[in-house]
Amino acid sequence: MRQGFYKLTGVVLKRHETSEGDIRLYNLFRDFGPQWILAPGAARGRRRFGGATEPLIWGHFSCYKSPKQLYLRDIEVKEDHWNIRSNPDKLERAMIWANLLTKYLLPLQPCNEVMAVFYDSLCLLEGDIDESMIEWRFLYRWMKKWGLAPELIRCASCGKEVTTAYWDGDVVFCEECRSNKDELIIPKEELREMVFAFALPRESLVRWIQRVELRANYVVYNRKLRDILRLSLA
């Protein structure tokens, strides 16, 4: 970013108050990626932003870029996800996702596709939908954008379409190609559900969930995805 004034669209991932009374925000910005932004004296009331500096706030951030620092001047809030921030369980889940983005996204590197996945997931989290399933959708869509997600439809060895899947490490095998008897077995009903969970558009997913009973053990599958993410980006 060159020196000058900017109006950036983004979301607050992390908020930190310094001992000097400043507020530092770690934001994910469209076209500019994640980076720190400083509001001098804001924690002491020198400039009041209210709740607009809380994590999960989406908006337009008016900033000034100096040679060394990005400074916050004003915030126009567009989405506050109040239904999430007023529910402790949903807030904890959303902050886990925000912390993953903080940890694994490269600073100053644009990642608009992941930003869109995060927004989609937060919108779903506001509704009455299984949180573990939404996390599966969030993680899988993010990792698929980066080429890290396991292919669930075809065998990693022979390329044939799988019915029952055998998940070993970061790949999935069919029954004929499996070699490790300790891999995670995904029955065909669950596999079909998992594909629908990440592939359907948001509105279609909400309608589909109203008609089906979820069977997949997303807690286990999410743990597998987080392990792949951690090992791939370590």
Side-chain angles (χ1 to χ4, degrees), residues 73-122:
R73 302 176 67 245
D74 195 19
I75 305 174
E76 180 184 353
V77 176
K78 290 299 183 181
E79 177 63 70
D80 62 5
H81 292 296
W82 177 249
N83 289 339
I84 294 176
R85 298 195 298 124
S86 60
N87 183 307
D89 293 335
K90 292 180 181 291
L91 179 59
E92 180 180 11
R93 180 82 61 168
M95 290 310 301
I96 288 173
W97 301 345
N99 288 336
L100 286 174
L101 295 176
T102 300
K103 181 176 182 179
Y104 290 119
L105 297 184
L106 291 176
L108 307 179
Q109 298 300 310
C111 44
N112 295 351
E113 70 284 355
V114 178
M115 187 174 174
V117 169
F118 186 44
Y119 181 77
D120 172 89
S121 303
L122 292 177

Short mmCIF file of all heavy atoms in Angstrom, two decimals, residues 73-122:
data_model
loop_
_atom_site.label_atom_id
_atom_site.label_comp_id
_atom_site.label_asym_id
_atom_site.label_seq_id
_atom_site.Cartn_x
_atom_site.Cartn_y
_atom_site.Cartn_z
N ARG A 73 -9.27 5.95 10.91
CA ARG A 73 -9.90 7.27 11.05
C ARG A 73 -11.40 7.16 11.32
O ARG A 73 -11.95 7.92 12.10
CB ARG A 73 -9.65 8.10 9.78
CG ARG A 73 -8.18 8.31 9.46
CD ARG A 73 -7.96 9.05 8.16
NE ARG A 73 -8.42 10.43 8.25
CZ ARG A 73 -9.42 10.92 7.54
NH1 ARG A 73 -10.09 10.13 6.70
NH2 ARG A 73 -9.78 12.19 7.67
N ASP A 74 -12.07 6.20 10.69
CA ASP A 74 -13.51 6.07 10.87
C ASP A 74 -13.95 4.68 10.43
O ASP A 74 -13.24 4.01 9.65
CB ASP A 74 -14.23 7.14 10.05
CG ASP A 74 -15.69 7.30 10.46
OD1 ASP A 74 -16.03 6.85 11.58
OD2 ASP A 74 -16.48 7.83 9.66
N ILE A 75 -15.12 4.24 10.93
CA ILE A 75 -15.68 2.94 10.57
C ILE A 75 -17.16 3.10 10.23
O ILE A 75 -17.92 3.68 11.01
CB ILE A 75 -15.56 1.91 11.73
CG1 ILE A 75 -14.12 1.78 12.20
CG2 ILE A 75 -16.10 0.55 11.28
CD1 ILE A 75 -13.96 0.89 13.42
N GLU A 76 -17.53 2.59 9.08
CA GLU A 76 -18.93 2.52 8.68
C GLU A 76 -19.36 1.05 8.76
O GLU A 76 -18.99 0.25 7.91
CB GLU A 76 -19.11 3.06 7.26
CG GLU A 76 -20.55 3.02 6.77
CD GLU A 76 -20.67 3.46 5.32
OE1 GLU A 76 -19.66 3.92 4.75
OE2 GLU A 76 -21.76 3.31 4.75
N VAL A 77 -20.09 0.71 9.81
CA VAL A 77 -20.47 -0.69 10.05
C VAL A 77 -21.53 -1.13 9.05
O VAL A 77 -22.54 -0.44 8.86
CB VAL A 77 -20.98 -0.88 11.49
CG1 VAL A 77 -21.46 -2.32 11.70
CG2 VAL A 77 -19.89 -0.53 12.49
N LYS A 78 -21.31 -2.29 8.43
CA LYS A 78 -22.26 -2.86 7.49
C LYS A 78 -22.91 -4.13 8.03
O LYS A 78 -24.03 -4.47 7.66
CB LYS A 78 -21.56 -3.17 6.17
CG LYS A 78 -21.17 -1.93 5.37
CD LYS A 78 -22.40 -1.11 5.02
CE LYS A 78 -22.08 0.09 4.17
NZ LYS A 78 -23.29 0.91 3.84
N GLU A 79 -22.22 -4.87 8.88
CA GLU A 79 -22.75 -6.12 9.44
C GLU A 79 -22.09 -6.37 10.78
O GLU A 79 -20.86 -6.40 10.88
CB GLU A 79 -22.46 -7.29 8.48
CG GLU A 79 -22.90 -8.65 8.99
CD GLU A 79 -24.41 -8.73 9.17
OE1 GLU A 79 -25.12 -8.74 8.16
OE2 GLU A 79 -24.84 -8.77 10.34
N ASP A 80 -22.92 -6.56 11.83
CA ASP A 80 -22.34 -6.78 13.15
C ASP A 80 -22.53 -8.20 13.68
O ASP A 80 -22.00 -8.55 14.73
CB ASP A 80 -22.91 -5.78 14.17
CG ASP A 80 -24.42 -5.92 14.37
OD1 ASP A 80 -25.03 -6.86 13.81
OD2 ASP A 80 -25.00 -5.09 15.09
N HIS A 81 -23.30 -9.03 12.95
CA HIS A 81 -23.55 -10.42 13.37
C HIS A 81 -23.96 -10.48 14.84
O HIS A 81 -23.43 -11.27 15.62
CB HIS A 81 -22.31 -11.30 13.12
CG HIS A 81 -22.01 -11.51 11.67
ND1 HIS A 81 -22.86 -12.17 10.82
CD2 HIS A 81 -20.94 -11.14 10.93
CE1 HIS A 81 -22.33 -12.21 9.60
NE2 HIS A 81 -21.16 -11.59 9.64
N TRP A 82 -24.94 -9.66 15.19
CA TRP A 82 -25.35 -9.58 16.59
C TRP A 82 -25.86 -10.91 17.12
O TRP A 82 -25.65 -11.26 18.28
CB TRP A 82 -26.40 -8.49 16.76
CG TRP A 82 -26.91 -8.41 18.16
CD1 TRP A 82 -28.16 -8.73 18.62
CD2 TRP A 82 -26.16 -8.00 19.31
NE1 TRP A 82 -28.24 -8.55 19.98
CE2 TRP A 82 -27.02 -8.09 20.43
CE3 TRP A 82 -24.84 -7.56 19.50
CZ2 TRP A 82 -26.61 -7.77 21.72
CZ3 TRP A 82 -24.45 -7.24 20.80
CH2 TRP A 82 -25.32 -7.34 21.88
N ASN A 83 -26.56 -11.68 16.28
CA ASN A 83 -27.08 -12.98 16.72
C ASN A 83 -25.95 -13.92 17.14
O ASN A 83 -26.15 -14.82 17.97
CB ASN A 83 -27.91 -13.63 15.62
CG ASN A 83 -29.24 -12.93 15.41
OD1 ASN A 83 -29.72 -12.23 16.30
ND2 ASN A 83 -29.82 -13.10 14.24
N ILE A 84 -24.79 -13.74 16.56
CA ILE A 84 -23.63 -14.55 16.95
C ILE A 84 -23.00 -13.98 18.22
O ILE A 84 -22.74 -14.70 19.18
CB ILE A 84 -22.59 -14.60 15.81
CG1 ILE A 84 -23.15 -15.34 14.60
CG2 ILE A 84 -21.30 -15.27 16.30
CD1 ILE A 84 -22.22 -15.35 13.40
N ARG A 85 -22.77 -12.69 18.24
CA ARG A 85 -22.04 -12.08 19.35
C ARG A 85 -22.86 -12.07 20.64
O ARG A 85 -22.29 -11.90 21.72
CB ARG A 85 -21.59 -10.67 18.97
CG ARG A 85 -20.62 -10.68 17.77
CD ARG A 85 -19.88 -9.40 17.57
NE ARG A 85 -20.76 -8.29 17.29
CZ ARG A 85 -20.79 -7.19 18.00
NH1 ARG A 85 -20.01 -7.05 19.06
NH2 ARG A 85 -21.60 -6.21 17.67
N SER A 86 -24.17 -12.27 20.54
CA SER A 86 -25.01 -12.33 21.74
C SER A 86 -25.24 -13.76 22.22
O SER A 86 -25.92 -13.96 23.23
CB SER A 86 -26.37 -11.67 21.46
OG SER A 86 -27.05 -12.33 20.41
N ASN A 87 -24.65 -14.74 21.52
CA ASN A 87 -24.79 -16.14 21.90
C ASN A 87 -23.40 -16.70 22.21
O ASN A 87 -22.57 -16.81 21.30
CB ASN A 87 -25.44 -16.93 20.76
CG ASN A 87 -25.69 -18.39 21.10
OD1 ASN A 87 -24.78 -19.11 21.52
ND2 ASN A 87 -26.91 -18.85 20.89
N PRO A 88 -23.11 -17.05 23.46
CA PRO A 88 -21.74 -17.47 23.82
C PRO A 88 -21.22 -18.65 23.01
O PRO A 88 -20.04 -18.65 22.61
CB PRO A 88 -21.86 -17.84 25.31
CG PRO A 88 -23.03 -17.04 25.79
CD PRO A 88 -23.98 -16.97 24.64
N ASP A 89 -22.06 -19.65 22.73
CA ASP A 89 -21.60 -20.82 21.97
C ASP A 89 -21.28 -20.46 20.53
O ASP A 89 -20.25 -20.88 19.98
CB ASP A 89 -22.66 -21.92 22.02
CG ASP A 89 -22.83 -22.50 23.40
OD1 ASP A 89 -21.87 -22.42 24.20
OD2 ASP A 89 -23.92 -23.03 23.70
N LYS A 90 -22.16 -19.68 19.91
CA LYS A 90 -21.91 -19.27 18.53
C LYS A 90 -20.69 -18.35 18.45
O LYS A 90 -19.89 -18.44 17.51
CB LYS A 90 -23.15 -18.56 17.96
CG LYS A 90 -24.36 -19.47 17.76
CD LYS A 90 -25.53 -18.67 17.19
CE LYS A 90 -26.76 -19.53 17.01
NZ LYS A 90 -26.59 -20.52 15.94
N LEU A 91 -20.56 -17.46 19.44
CA LEU A 91 -19.41 -16.54 19.45
C LEU A 91 -18.11 -17.31 19.58
O LEU A 91 -17.12 -17.01 18.90
CB LEU A 91 -19.56 -15.54 20.59
CG LEU A 91 -18.43 -14.52 20.75
CD1 LEU A 91 -18.28 -13.68 19.49
CD2 LEU A 91 -18.68 -13.63 21.96
N GLU A 92 -18.09 -18.32 20.45
CA GLU A 92 -16.88 -19.13 20.61
C GLU A 92 -16.52 -19.81 19.30
O GLU A 92 -15.35 -19.84 18.90
CB GLU A 92 -17.08 -20.16 21.71
CG GLU A 92 -15.85 -21.03 21.94
CD GLU A 92 -16.06 -22.07 23.03
OE1 GLU A 92 -17.23 -22.25 23.47
OE2 GLU A 92 -15.07 -22.69 23.44
N ARG A 93 -17.52 -20.37 18.61
CA ARG A 93 -17.26 -21.04 17.34
C ARG A 93 -16.72 -20.05 16.30
O ARG A 93 -15.74 -20.35 15.61
CB ARG A 93 -18.56 -21.66 16.84
CG ARG A 93 -18.46 -22.41 15.51
CD ARG A 93 -17.93 -23.79 15.64
NE ARG A 93 -18.81 -24.60 16.48
CZ ARG A 93 -18.70 -25.93 16.57
NH1 ARG A 93 -17.77 -26.58 15.88
NH2 ARG A 93 -19.50 -26.61 17.36
N ALA A 94 -17.34 -18.89 16.21
CA ALA A 94 -16.90 -17.90 15.23
C ALA A 94 -15.49 -17.41 15.52
O ALA A 94 -14.69 -17.19 14.59
CB ALA A 94 -17.88 -16.72 15.21
N MET A 95 -15.14 -17.26 16.79
CA MET A 95 -13.81 -16.78 17.14
C MET A 95 -12.75 -17.86 16.88
O MET A 95 -11.59 -17.54 16.60
CB MET A 95 -13.76 -16.31 18.59
CG MET A 95 -14.54 -15.02 18.85
SD MET A 95 -14.14 -13.70 17.68
CE MET A 95 -12.37 -13.50 17.93
N ILE A 96 -13.13 -19.12 17.00
CA ILE A 96 -12.21 -20.19 16.61
C ILE A 96 -11.85 -20.06 15.14
O ILE A 96 -10.69 -20.17 14.74
CB ILE A 96 -12.83 -21.57 16.91
CG1 ILE A 96 -12.87 -21.83 18.41
CG2 ILE A 96 -12.04 -22.69 16.20
CD1 ILE A 96 -13.61 -23.08 18.80
N TRP A 97 -12.86 -19.79 14.31
CA TRP A 97 -12.60 -19.60 12.88
C TRP A 97 -11.74 -18.36 12.65
O TRP A 97 -10.79 -18.40 11.84
CB TRP A 97 -13.92 -19.45 12.12
CG TRP A 97 -14.85 -20.62 12.25
CD1 TRP A 97 -14.55 -21.87 12.73
CD2 TRP A 97 -16.24 -20.64 11.93
NE1 TRP A 97 -15.66 -22.67 12.70
CE2 TRP A 97 -16.71 -21.95 12.22
CE3 TRP A 97 -17.13 -19.70 11.42
CZ2 TRP A 97 -18.04 -22.32 12.00
CZ3 TRP A 97 -18.45 -20.07 11.21
CH2 TRP A 97 -18.90 -21.36 11.49
N ALA A 98 -12.06 -17.26 13.34
CA ALA A 98 -11.27 -16.03 13.17
C ALA A 98 -9.82 -16.26 13.58
O ALA A 98 -8.89 -15.75 12.94
CB ALA A 98 -11.89 -14.90 14.00
N ASN A 99 -9.59 -17.03 14.64
CA ASN A 99 -8.23 -17.32 15.08
C ASN A 99 -7.49 -18.18 14.06
O ASN A 99 -6.27 -18.03 13.87
CB ASN A 99 -8.25 -18.01 16.44
CG ASN A 99 -8.65 -17.06 17.56
OD1 ASN A 99 -8.49 -15.85 17.45
ND2 ASN A 99 -9.19 -17.61 18.64
N LEU A 100 -8.20 -19.10 13.41
CA LEU A 100 -7.56 -19.91 12.36
C LEU A 100 -7.13 -19.01 11.20
O LEU A 100 -6.03 -19.19 10.65
CB LEU A 100 -8.53 -20.98 11.86
CG LEU A 100 -8.77 -22.17 12.80
CD1 LEU A 100 -9.86 -23.08 12.24
CD2 LEU A 100 -7.50 -22.98 13.01
N LEU A 101 -7.98 -18.07 10.82
CA LEU A 101 -7.61 -17.15 9.74
C LEU A 101 -6.42 -16.29 10.15
O LEU A 101 -5.50 -16.06 9.35
CB LEU A 101 -8.81 -16.26 9.40
CG LEU A 101 -10.03 -16.96 8.80
CD1 LEU A 101 -11.16 -15.96 8.60
CD2 LEU A 101 -9.70 -17.65 7.50
N THR A 102 -6.43 -15.82 11.39
CA THR A 102 -5.31 -15.02 11.89
C THR A 102 -4.01 -15.81 11.85
O THR A 102 -2.95 -15.28 11.51
CB THR A 102 -5.60 -14.57 13.33
OG1 THR A 102 -6.79 -13.77 13.35
CG2 THR A 102 -4.44 -13.76 13.90
N LYS A 103 -4.09 -17.09 12.16
CA LYS A 103 -2.90 -17.93 12.25
C LYS A 103 -2.36 -18.33 10.87
O LYS A 103 -1.14 -18.34 10.66
CB LYS A 103 -3.22 -19.19 13.05
CG LYS A 103 -2.04 -20.14 13.24
CD LYS A 103 -2.43 -21.31 14.13
CE LYS A 103 -1.24 -22.25 14.36
NZ LYS A 103 -1.61 -23.40 15.24
N TYR A 104 -3.25 -18.62 9.92
CA TYR A 104 -2.81 -19.26 8.68
C TYR A 104 -2.80 -18.35 7.45
O TYR A 104 -2.12 -18.66 6.47
CB TYR A 104 -3.67 -20.48 8.39
CG TYR A 104 -3.42 -21.63 9.36
CD1 TYR A 104 -4.44 -22.11 10.16
CD2 TYR A 104 -2.16 -22.20 9.48
CE1 TYR A 104 -4.22 -23.15 11.06
CE2 TYR A 104 -1.93 -23.23 10.37
CZ TYR A 104 -2.96 -23.71 11.16
OH TYR A 104 -2.73 -24.73 12.05
N LEU A 105 -3.53 -17.24 7.46
CA LEU A 105 -3.48 -16.35 6.31
C LEU A 105 -2.22 -15.51 6.35
O LEU A 105 -1.83 -15.01 7.40
CB LEU A 105 -4.70 -15.43 6.29
CG LEU A 105 -6.07 -16.08 6.14
CD1 LEU A 105 -7.15 -15.02 6.04
CD2 LEU A 105 -6.12 -17.00 4.93
N LEU A 106 -1.60 -15.34 5.19
CA LEU A 106 -0.36 -14.56 5.13
C LEU A 106 -0.67 -13.07 5.22
O LEU A 106 -1.52 -12.57 4.47
CB LEU A 106 0.37 -14.85 3.82
CG LEU A 106 0.99 -16.24 3.68
CD1 LEU A 106 1.61 -16.40 2.29
CD2 LEU A 106 2.05 -16.48 4.75
N PRO A 107 -0.01 -12.34 6.12
CA PRO A 107 -0.24 -10.91 6.22
C PRO A 107 0.03 -10.19 4.90
O PRO A 107 0.96 -10.55 4.15
CB PRO A 107 0.76 -10.46 7.29
CG PRO A 107 1.03 -11.69 8.10
CD PRO A 107 0.95 -12.83 7.13
N LEU A 108 -0.83 -9.22 4.60
CA LEU A 108 -0.69 -8.34 3.42
C LEU A 108 -0.92 -9.06 2.09
O LEU A 108 -0.72 -8.46 1.03
CB LEU A 108 0.68 -7.66 3.41
CG LEU A 108 1.08 -6.92 4.68
CD1 LEU A 108 2.48 -6.31 4.52
CD2 LEU A 108 0.08 -5.83 5.01
N GLN A 109 -1.35 -10.32 2.12
CA GLN A 109 -1.60 -11.07 0.90
C GLN A 109 -3.10 -11.17 0.65
O GLN A 109 -3.83 -11.71 1.49
CB GLN A 109 -0.98 -12.46 0.97
CG GLN A 109 0.52 -12.47 1.13
CD GLN A 109 1.22 -11.78 -0.02
OE1 GLN A 109 0.95 -12.05 -1.19
NE2 GLN A 109 2.13 -10.87 0.31
N PRO A 110 -3.61 -10.65 -0.47
CA PRO A 110 -5.05 -10.71 -0.75
C PRO A 110 -5.56 -12.15 -0.73
O PRO A 110 -4.91 -13.06 -1.25
CB PRO A 110 -5.17 -10.10 -2.14
CG PRO A 110 -3.95 -9.24 -2.29
CD PRO A 110 -2.86 -9.95 -1.55
N CYS A 111 -6.72 -12.35 -0.12
CA CYS A 111 -7.34 -13.69 -0.06
C CYS A 111 -8.85 -13.51 -0.05
O CYS A 111 -9.53 -13.92 0.90
CB CYS A 111 -6.84 -14.47 1.14
SG CYS A 111 -6.77 -13.53 2.68
N ASN A 112 -9.37 -12.86 -1.10
CA ASN A 112 -10.79 -12.55 -1.18
C ASN A 112 -11.66 -13.80 -1.16
O ASN A 112 -12.78 -13.78 -0.64
CB ASN A 112 -11.09 -11.73 -2.43
CG ASN A 112 -10.43 -10.36 -2.40
OD1 ASN A 112 -9.90 -9.94 -1.38
ND2 ASN A 112 -10.48 -9.65 -3.51
N GLU A 113 -11.15 -14.90 -1.74
CA GLU A 113 -11.95 -16.11 -1.80
C GLU A 113 -12.18 -16.69 -0.41
O GLU A 113 -13.27 -17.20 -0.10
CB GLU A 113 -11.28 -17.15 -2.71
CG GLU A 113 -10.00 -17.79 -2.20
CD GLU A 113 -8.77 -16.91 -2.27
OE1 GLU A 113 -8.87 -15.79 -2.82
OE2 GLU A 113 -7.71 -17.33 -1.78
N VAL A 114 -11.19 -16.61 0.46
CA VAL A 114 -11.36 -17.10 1.84
C VAL A 114 -12.24 -16.14 2.63
O VAL A 114 -13.04 -16.56 3.47
CB VAL A 114 -9.99 -17.27 2.52
CG1 VAL A 114 -10.15 -17.74 3.96
CG2 VAL A 114 -9.13 -18.26 1.73
N MET A 115 -12.12 -14.87 2.37
CA MET A 115 -12.97 -13.88 3.02
C MET A 115 -14.44 -14.15 2.71
O MET A 115 -15.31 -14.05 3.60
CB MET A 115 -12.56 -12.48 2.54
CG MET A 115 -13.24 -11.33 3.23
SD MET A 115 -12.52 -9.77 2.64
CE MET A 115 -13.58 -8.59 3.46
N ALA A 116 -14.74 -14.52 1.48
CA ALA A 116 -16.12 -14.84 1.09
C ALA A 116 -16.62 -16.09 1.80
O ALA A 116 -17.78 -16.16 2.22
CB ALA A 116 -16.21 -15.01 -0.42
N VAL A 117 -15.76 -17.09 1.95
CA VAL A 117 -16.13 -18.31 2.66
C VAL A 117 -16.43 -18.00 4.13
O VAL A 117 -17.39 -18.53 4.71
CB VAL A 117 -15.00 -19.36 2.55
CG1 VAL A 117 -15.23 -20.53 3.49
CG2 VAL A 117 -14.87 -19.85 1.11
N PHE A 118 -15.64 -17.13 4.74
CA PHE A 118 -15.84 -16.76 6.13
C PHE A 118 -17.19 -16.05 6.31
O PHE A 118 -17.96 -16.36 7.23
CB PHE A 118 -14.69 -15.85 6.58
CG PHE A 118 -14.68 -15.49 8.03
CD1 PHE A 118 -14.92 -16.45 9.01
CD2 PHE A 118 -14.41 -14.19 8.44
CE1 PHE A 118 -14.91 -16.12 10.36
CE2 PHE A 118 -14.39 -13.85 9.79
CZ PHE A 118 -14.65 -14.82 10.75
N TYR A 119 -17.51 -15.14 5.42
CA TYR A 119 -18.77 -14.42 5.51
C TYR A 119 -19.95 -15.37 5.34
O TYR A 119 -20.94 -15.30 6.10
CB TYR A 119 -18.84 -13.32 4.46
CG TYR A 119 -20.11 -12.51 4.51
CD1 TYR A 119 -20.28 -11.53 5.49
CD2 TYR A 119 -21.14 -12.74 3.61
CE1 TYR A 119 -21.46 -10.79 5.57
CE2 TYR A 119 -22.32 -12.00 3.67
CZ TYR A 119 -22.47 -11.03 4.66
OH TYR A 119 -23.65 -10.32 4.73
N ASP A 120 -19.87 -16.26 4.36
CA ASP A 120 -20.92 -17.26 4.13
C ASP A 120 -21.16 -18.09 5.39
O ASP A 120 -22.30 -18.34 5.79
CB ASP A 120 -20.52 -18.15 2.95
CG ASP A 120 -21.45 -19.34 2.77
OD1 ASP A 120 -22.45 -19.22 2.05
OD2 ASP A 120 -21.15 -20.42 3.34
N SER A 121 -20.09 -18.50 6.04
CA SER A 121 -20.19 -19.35 7.23
C SER A 121 -20.79 -18.60 8.40
O SER A 121 -21.60 -19.16 9.16
CB SER A 121 -18.81 -19.90 7.60
OG SER A 121 -18.24 -20.62 6.51
N LEU A 122 -20.42 -17.34 8.58
CA LEU A 122 -20.99 -16.55 9.67
C LEU A 122 -22.49 -16.31 9.47
O LEU A 122 -23.26 -16.35 10.44
CB LEU A 122 -20.27 -15.21 9.80
CG LEU A 122 -18.81 -15.27 10.28
CD1 LEU A 122 -18.21 -13.87 10.28
CD2 LEU A 122 -18.70 -15.90 11.65
#
